[in-house]
Amino acid sequence: MLNFCPDLRTVQPDLGKAHGEFVFLVDRSGSMSAVDISRVKDALLVVLKSLRPACLFNVVGFRSTFKALFPASQTYCEESLAIACESVKRIRADMGAANVFSPLKWVVRQPIHRGHPRLLFLLTRGAAGDTGKVLELLRNHACSTRCYSFGIGREPCRRLVRGLAAVSKGSAEFPAEGERLQPKDQGTGSKRETRDKIRTSRKQLQCQPS
């Protein structure tokens, strides 16, 4: 099955069978090089095309300010996928510092959809001046939002990337510089193991009412 690299088997073993809410938080600040943002765009396009129609998704780009693709997470369908892919292709690393607190606050305050555990994918390079505040924010919403963070490029903020994963029981990855974020064939694990892992993820996140 296609997965988001370098390895998301510990994140969501089969994106094509998950009924989650997938929110992609993408760093568009000046700290992201043209190469970094190109890798992110390529990976996002693969992941978006691998989701299941029953899931919900959104893409949020941030720098000193942020902008969400949709006002709220949309049901995955041909129309919403086409809109998302066109938007991702236009992503640029604009000038400005990375401010992850504001978009994260917006994400965690969105309504929770029963049966759709929220999985947040953060792709960032820049350091956050208010890292402690950011970590505390997600810690307070860890029962409804799980973060899988990716430190992109040279010297990403490891405290931020690892911290967000730790407080929400997600995972953190640091792809090597120049390593392409590309699809991999995840043929390991039985269907029962996949279902069990997704079911466990849902149970762990269902402490928040809809």
Side-chain angles (χ1 to χ4, degrees), residues 31-104:
S31 65
M32 294 282 282
S33 70
V35 173
D36 293 335
I37 206 70
S38 179
R39 293 164 64 204
V40 168
K41 289 164 60 175
D42 289 345
L44 276 176
L45 290 172
V46 171
V47 174
L48 289 172
K49 294 175 182 178
S50 302
L51 299 178
R52 184 173 181 171
C55 78
L56 302 173
F57 79 104
N58 206 346
V59 180
V60 183
F62 70 94
R63 44 181 178 174
S64 54
T65 58
F66 72 94
K67 183 177 181 180
L69 176 59
F70 302 114
S73 292
Q74 296 292 300
T75 300
Y76 185 87
C77 64
E78 289 186 7
E79 182 180 0
S80 58
L81 172 61
I83 293 172
C85 288
E86 285 304 311
S87 177
V88 168
K89 291 175 183 178
R90 295 193 300 269
I91 288 178
R92 297 290 183 273
D94 303 314
M95 295 178 63
N99 172 18
V100 69
F101 181 81
S102 295
L104 179 61

Side-chain angles (χ1 to χ4, degrees), residues 132-152:
K133 186 178 178 181
V134 172
L135 297 181
E136 186 62 23
L137 172 64
L138 188 58
R139 180 182 290 110
N140 292 337
H141 293 84
C143 65
S144 62
T145 304
R146 178 170 295 170
C147 181
Y148 301 98
S149 49
F150 293 78
I152 307 297

Side-chain angles (χ1 to χ4, degrees), residues 2-4 7-20 22 117 119 121 146 148 171 186 194 197-199 201-202 205:
L2 290 180
N3 259 346
F4 200 9
D7 187 355
L8 286 196
R9 283 174 294 182
T10 57
V11 175
Q12 196 70 20
D14 192 343
L15 292 175
K17 294 184 178 180
H19 292 82
F22 298 88
L119 304 175
F121 295 83
R146 178 170 295 170
Y148 301 98
S171 66
Q186 303 291 3
T194 295
K197 289 179 181 179
I198 294 175
R199 188 178 299 114
S201 178
R202 284 177 177 166
L205 291 171

Side-chain angles (χ1 to χ4, degrees), residues 120-133:
L120 174 66
F121 295 83
L122 171 67
L123 300 103
T124 185
R125 177 181 179 182
D130 53 356
T131 297
K133 186 178 178 181

